[in-house]
Structure formats: structure tokens, C-alpha cells
């Protein structure tokens, strides 16, 4: 469906979810000029760590003082423009519901139209990708937690109907738009920018590879490495070496099948039907 969300005095939240080309979108979006009122841009305020992370109260570096300063400046900026302004941060998808309500209410009080674009990815692939990202950066996984335990814990946190409702209840279902990451992964970044009336050809650009994942087969070996050593200088070389090896495809297939059949089961099918009944797919 062709949808143009580039409208005057409009604030667009892009809260992820992670592992849906968010890094590629942000890497391109935050380089767009913000001094052209008639063209959509990403917020020049609230930027930290590659995204609009100062606006997310669940970010480790969140400061209410910093938030208030940057948020007030953004609202004034967005209200003066003849096009849309985008706020993008993966942290926002799991932000405190009260903080989400605060931002949406204040934006509307400022006279802004508020839209939300949420990417949706099938739970099995998302959970595996999220696990591999956590292993890659060595953060967020207890030592005694394997991939299956991680997926069970994470699944409870990413049921999309609940997460999306935190936004829709304040701005209305008609202002929430969903993007199916599984439908066209290669064209996903271009499609995102098309919704804000920008023609961005990311096909041959390195932005699409800013957050490449590690292979599923090497995760156990890398986790053991992190348990027995803290040598950060050798870690990248170890990852490169592990990625260079040949592995039996059946291992990753078995892991994915177990997650799909024993953990996710029909949760995604059920949740996607619930989302489709309420919101518009782009």
C-alpha cells in the first residue's frame, strides 16, 4: 500500500523493533539535512549513540534534565516545519508506558500530528537474531542461560499487540502503521523512506551492513570465550576466525525448528492476526 506520511507539523515515531534494519535506517536518516522545512528529516535533537536515544527513558544514559531540554527543542522544531520529523530509537518500543503517554500527549498539545511506524518481524527469526546480537556484544545474557532460555524470556517481552497498543491508545489506531520486515528484507530500508516521501537508494550502500550478525553456529564458542577471558583485543580476531569456518547446516536448522515448534509455536500467527485487525500495513 502506498502511504505518504510526510505531512506538515507531523512527528513520526519509529520505535523499532530491533533487528529490522533499524541501524541501516538510522545511519541514513540522521545524515539527512534538517534545514529544509519542506523535506522530511530525522530529529536533530535527542541524538545519542546513533539514534534518538535521549528520548527513551529506558536507555542506560537517560537523564530527565537532558530529555526535557532536547524534547522541548524538538517539539518547537517539528511544529515549525512543513514536513515530517522522525524520532527513531529501538529503545522506545519497550519504553515505560507512562513515558510514552507523556511524549504523545505533549506532542499533541503542541499542535503536532503524531504517527507511529512499527516494524514487525516473525518471532522465531527475531529471537535468534536478538540472541546473536546479545552474544556478539556480550551483553544481556546470564552465563547460565542458553539460546532456548533466552528465547523464552525474550518472547514474553516482545508480543507486538501489547507493545503497539502502548502507542495506539494515545493517538488512535488510524495513526499507527506497520511494516512487514519478512515481506521484503532487501527493499525494507527503501520502503521506509518512501513512506516519508524520500527516494533513498540503499541497495549498494554500506549502511545496510552496519550491524551484521554473527553465525548461529559460533555462538556457543564465543560465549565460552567470554567466560574464560576478557581480552577485548583478541575477541574480534576470534570472531573473524570462527566465522571463516565451514559448519554443518543441520545444526542451525535444528535450533531454529526447536525454537519455532517448542517456544514460539503459533504466537506470531495469532499476534499478526490481531495486529491486522486494528492497524494499517504499509
Amino acid at each position: 500500500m502506498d502511504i505518504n506520511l510526510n505531512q506538515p507539523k507531523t512527528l513520526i515515531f519509529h520505535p523499532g523493533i530491533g533487528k529490522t534494519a533499524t541501524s541501516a535506517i538510522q545511519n541514513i536518516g540522521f545524515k539527512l539535512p534538517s534545514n529544509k522545512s519542506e523535506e522530511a528529516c530525522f530529529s536533530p535533537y535527542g541524538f545519542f549513540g546513533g539514534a534518538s536515544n535521549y528520548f527513551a527513558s529506558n536507555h542506560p544514559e537517560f537523564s530527565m534534565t537532558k530529555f526535557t531540554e532536547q524534547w522541548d527543542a524538538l517539539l518547537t522544531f517539528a511544529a515549525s516545519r512543513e514536513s515530517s520529523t522522525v524520532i527513531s530509537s529501538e529503545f522506545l518500543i519497550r519504553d515505560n508506558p507512562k513515558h510514552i503517554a507523556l511524549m504523545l500527549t505533549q506532542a499533541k498539545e503542541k499542535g503536532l500530528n503524531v504517527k507511529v511506524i512499527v516494524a514487525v518481524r516473525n518471532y522465531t527469526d527475531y529471537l535468534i537474531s536478538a540472541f546473536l546480537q546479545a552474544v556478539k556484544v556480550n551483553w544481556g545474557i546470564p552465563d547460565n542461560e542458553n539460546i532456548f532460555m533466552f528465547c523464552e524470556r525474550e518472547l514474553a517481552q516482545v508480543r507486538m499487540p501489547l507493545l503497539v497498543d502502548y502507542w495506539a491508545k494515545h493517538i488512535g489506531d488510524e495513526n499507527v502503521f506497520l511494516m512487514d520486515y519478512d515481506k521484503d528484507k532487501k527493499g525494507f530500508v527503501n520502503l521506509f523512506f518512501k513512506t516519508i516521501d524520500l527516494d533513498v537508494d540503499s541497495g549498494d550502500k554500506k549502511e545496510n551492513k552496519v550491524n551484521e550478525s554473527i553465525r548461529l553456529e559460533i555462538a556457543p564458542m564465543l560465549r565460552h570465550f567470554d567466560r574464560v577471558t576478557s581480552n577485548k583485543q583478541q575477541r574480534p580476531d576470534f570472531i573473524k576466525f570462527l566465522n571463516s569456518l565451514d559448519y554443518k547446516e543441520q545444526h542451525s536448522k535444528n535450533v531454529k525448528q526447536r525454537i519455532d515448534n517448542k517456544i514460539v509455536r503459533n504466537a506470531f500467527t495469532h499476534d499478526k492476526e490481531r495486529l491486522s485487525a486494528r492497524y494499517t500495513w504499509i
Side-chain angles (χ1 to χ4, degrees):
M1 179 181 296
D2 290 331
I3 293 177
N4 184 2
L5 300 182
N6 186 31
Q7 301 165 7
K9 304 181 188 303
T10 298
L11 197 60
I12 299 176
F13 284 88
H14 170 231
I17 194 167
K19 312 314 298 179
T20 54
T22 49
S23 294
I25 289 170
Q26 291 159 359
N27 201 38
I28 295 173
F30 284 107
K31 293 176 182 177
L32 297 172
S34 59
N35 59 350
K36 299 179 179 180
S37 177
E38 70 284 357
E39 291 185 8
C41 73
F42 278 48
S43 171
Y45 302 97
F47 184 82
F48 178 77
S52 305
N53 290 329
Y54 273 137
F55 295 143
S57 69
N58 58 339
H59 191 276
E61 301 295 328
F62 179 77
S63 160
M64 182 55 73
T65 299
K66 191 73 173 180
F67 164 76
T68 301
E69 170 193 295
Q70 295 287 293
W71 181 245
D72 290 346
L74 171 62
L75 293 181
T76 300
F77 173 80
S80 69
R81 307 188 72 242
E82 294 304 314
S83 57
S84 295
T85 306
V86 180
I87 295 175
S88 181
S89 168
E90 298 94 320
F91 281 90
L92 286 170
I93 195 65
R94 306 193 212 194
D95 206 344
N96 186 308
K98 291 184 178 179
H99 184 71
I100 292 173
L102 172 69
M103 290 189 293
L104 298 180
T105 299
Q106 291 186 347
K108 290 193 297 181
E109 290 175 347
K110 192 73 174 181
L112 290 166
N113 300 311
V114 183
K115 313 289 183 182
V116 175
I117 301 176
V118 180
V120 178
R121 184 178 186 180
N122 78 81
Y123 291 155
T124 299
D125 287 347
Y126 166 78
L127 291 171
I128 293 173
S129 187
F131 173 77
L132 294 179
Q133 177 67 13
V135 172
K136 176 184 173 183
V137 300
N138 191 24
W139 185 85
I141 309 179
D143 283 345
N144 63 345
E145 187 174 74
N146 60 33
I147 185 172
F148 305 110
M149 297 164 67
F150 172 90
C151 289
E152 288 181 351
R153 174 171 61 84
E154 181 70 3
L155 179 60
Q157 306 297 319
V158 296
R159 298 298 293 267
M160 296 306 294
L162 177 61
L163 297 179
V164 175
D165 184 60
Y166 290 147
W167 300 83
K169 66 194 301 182
H170 301 289
I171 60 174
D173 294 3
E174 70 278 7
N175 290 310
V176 174
F177 300 87
L178 306 177
M179 296 185 66
D180 189 341
Y181 180 76
D182 301 303
K183 189 175 181 180
D184 183 11
K185 296 178 182 179
K186 292 184 178 180
F188 191 81
V189 174
N190 291 340
L191 178 59
F192 178 90
F193 285 98
K194 185 178 180 181
T195 67
I196 55 175
D197 201 27
L198 290 175
D199 184 12
V200 175
D201 182 10
S202 65
D204 297 324
K205 293 187 177 183
K206 63 181 181 180
E207 282 87 348
N208 271 332
K209 297 183 178 181
V210 294
N211 194 16
E212 287 186 285
S213 180
I214 61 173
R215 297 182 57 153
L216 179 60
E217 293 88 350
I218 80 170
M221 292 176 280
L222 183 55
R223 294 204 69 202
H224 184 67
F225 175 91
D226 291 329
R227 293 188 186 101
V228 299
T229 181
S230 58
N231 192 317
K232 295 182 179 179
Q233 287 71 38
Q234 291 180 330
R235 195 173 189 270
D237 291 334
F238 186 56
I239 293 175
K240 184 177 180 180
F241 167 72
L242 291 176
N243 270 329
S244 70
L245 301 178
D246 292 327
Y247 297 95
K248 299 176 181 179
E249 293 184 5
Q250 194 59 42
H251 170 75
S252 59
K253 289 181 179 179
N254 290 342
V255 171
K256 182 175 181 178
Q257 186 176 47
R258 179 175 170 182
I259 294 171
D260 196 36
N261 294 340
K262 301 296 184 180
I263 298 174
V264 175
R265 292 180 286 187
N266 66 341
F268 181 69
T269 301
H270 174 266
D271 287 358
K272 192 172 184 180
E273 289 176 353
R274 291 178 60 193
L275 292 170
S276 298
R278 291 184 56 182
Y279 308 115
T280 300
W281 290 90
I282 295 175

